[in-house]
């Protein structure tokens, strides 16, 4: 999606080139199964099940800065069982393939922005070795897993995300994309069919967005990678 000056606003990335059909369907199904296992092995607070983004279980891992944090910090996962479940999800091969594809799309369509993310992360991880990256060689600092079982959201913006950048969003799960799960970009007047396993990059801090509900007997998860805008301000201020 481009603006009147041909600047890329969002990327409807689809699936990896050469992986259409059954090959990527297997990856998506394996990722959805891993998300199901993580949800069933975890416990969630009421706030984690009923947030402003919708009534579904969610968990964020990686690191960020802002919302009361005095410096970049890891997002906290409480409880050994929850930590184990999340580590297993992050190590899952299908989840890592989706993460890699999201990262590659970012590098391809927003290379300068990608490089700034990569340099910022590298410097932060060097200055603060206690910070934990979710995936190797990845430009995003944080990942949120919407663990459903019905992950769809009312209109909102993600003000913590970097305004001049994108988040990468990939839905998973057995749902009919013709009947629900569409991504709505309200400010652009667009309703976008969003099938399981496909990826979209868009500026979630700038565009009001929501997701159309799925059918009652269906399941939808989502994996979203992004970086907090505060991380870049922290670096610009000399890590002070």
């Amino acid at each position: 999606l481009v603006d009147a000056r041909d600047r890329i606003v969002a990327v409807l990335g689809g699936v990896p080139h050469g992986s259409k059909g059954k090959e990527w369907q297997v990856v998506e199904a394996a990722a959805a199964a891993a998300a199901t296992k993580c949800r069933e092995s975890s416990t969630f607070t009421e706030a984690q099940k009923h947030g402003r983004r919708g009534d579904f279980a969610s968990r964020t891992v990686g690191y960020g800065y802002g919302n009361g944090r005095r410096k970049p910090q890891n997002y906290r996962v409480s409880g050994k069982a929850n930590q184990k479940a999340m580590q297993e999800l992050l190590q899952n091969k299908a989840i890592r393939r989706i993460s890699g594809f999201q990262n590659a799309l970012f590098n391809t369509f927003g290379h300068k922005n990608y490089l700034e993310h990569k340099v910022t992360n590298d410097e932060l991880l060097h200055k603060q070795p206690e910070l934990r990256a979710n995936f190797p060689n990845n430009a995003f600092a944080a990942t949120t897993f919407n663990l459903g079982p019905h992950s769809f959201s009312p209109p909102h913006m993600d003000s913590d995300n970097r305004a001049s950048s994108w988040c990468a969003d990939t839905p998973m799960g057995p749902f009919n994309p013709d009947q629900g799960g569409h991504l709505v970009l309200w400010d652009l007047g667009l309703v976008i069919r969003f099938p399981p396993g496909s990826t979209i990059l868009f500026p979630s801090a700038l565009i009001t967005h929501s997701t159309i509900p799925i059918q009652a007997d269906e399941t939808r998860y989502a994996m979203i990678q992004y970086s907090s805008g505060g991380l870049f301000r922290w670096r610009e201020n000399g890590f002070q």
Side-chain angles (χ1 to χ4, degrees), residues 11-24:
V11 178
L12 310 185
V15 302
H17 182 69
S19 297
K20 294 182 179 180
K22 291 185 177 179
E23 180 183 349
W24 196 250

Side-chain angles (χ1 to χ4, degrees), residues 59-197:
R59 181 149 284 145
T60 297
V61 286
Y63 52 91
Y65 175 55
N67 294 325
R69 300 178 183 87
R70 295 187 177 182
K71 65 177 184 178
Q73 292 179 330
N74 294 312
Y75 291 105
R76 184 179 179 184
V77 178
S78 299
K80 290 184 178 180
N82 291 335
Q83 293 168 5
K84 181 176 182 292
M86 185 50 60
Q87 283 305 309
E88 289 180 354
L89 185 61
L90 291 172
Q91 294 295 326
N92 181 268
K93 290 182 179 180
I95 291 293
R96 290 204 161 204
R97 285 192 68 178
I98 291 173
S99 165
F101 180 54
Q102 292 179 338
N103 191 63
L105 282 174
F106 187 20
N107 190 14
T108 299
F109 290 94
H111 182 62
K112 290 182 178 180
N113 211 334
Y114 172 89
L115 288 179
E116 188 174 4
H117 278 62
K118 196 74 170 60
V119 169
T120 297
N121 282 340
D122 289 345
E123 291 185 6
L124 281 168
L125 292 170
H126 177 73
K127 291 280 187 180
Q128 294 182 234
E130 74 276 9
L131 297 177
R132 296 190 299 271
N134 292 323
F135 307 103
N137 302 316
N138 193 292
F140 296 105
T143 308
T144 293
F145 291 98
N146 294 340
L147 296 171
H150 302 118
S151 300
F152 53 85
S153 301
H156 67 283
M157 291 189 293
D158 300 307
S159 57
D160 183 59
N161 297 2
R162 194 185 191 201
S164 61
S165 187
W166 293 325
C167 75
D169 188 352
T170 303
M172 304 168 286
F175 67 91
N176 186 336
D178 294 325
Q179 297 183 346
H182 299 64
L183 178 66
V184 183
L185 301 180
W186 290 84
D187 305 288
L188 303 183
L190 295 175
V191 179
I192 302 169
R193 185 177 181 271
F194 202 5

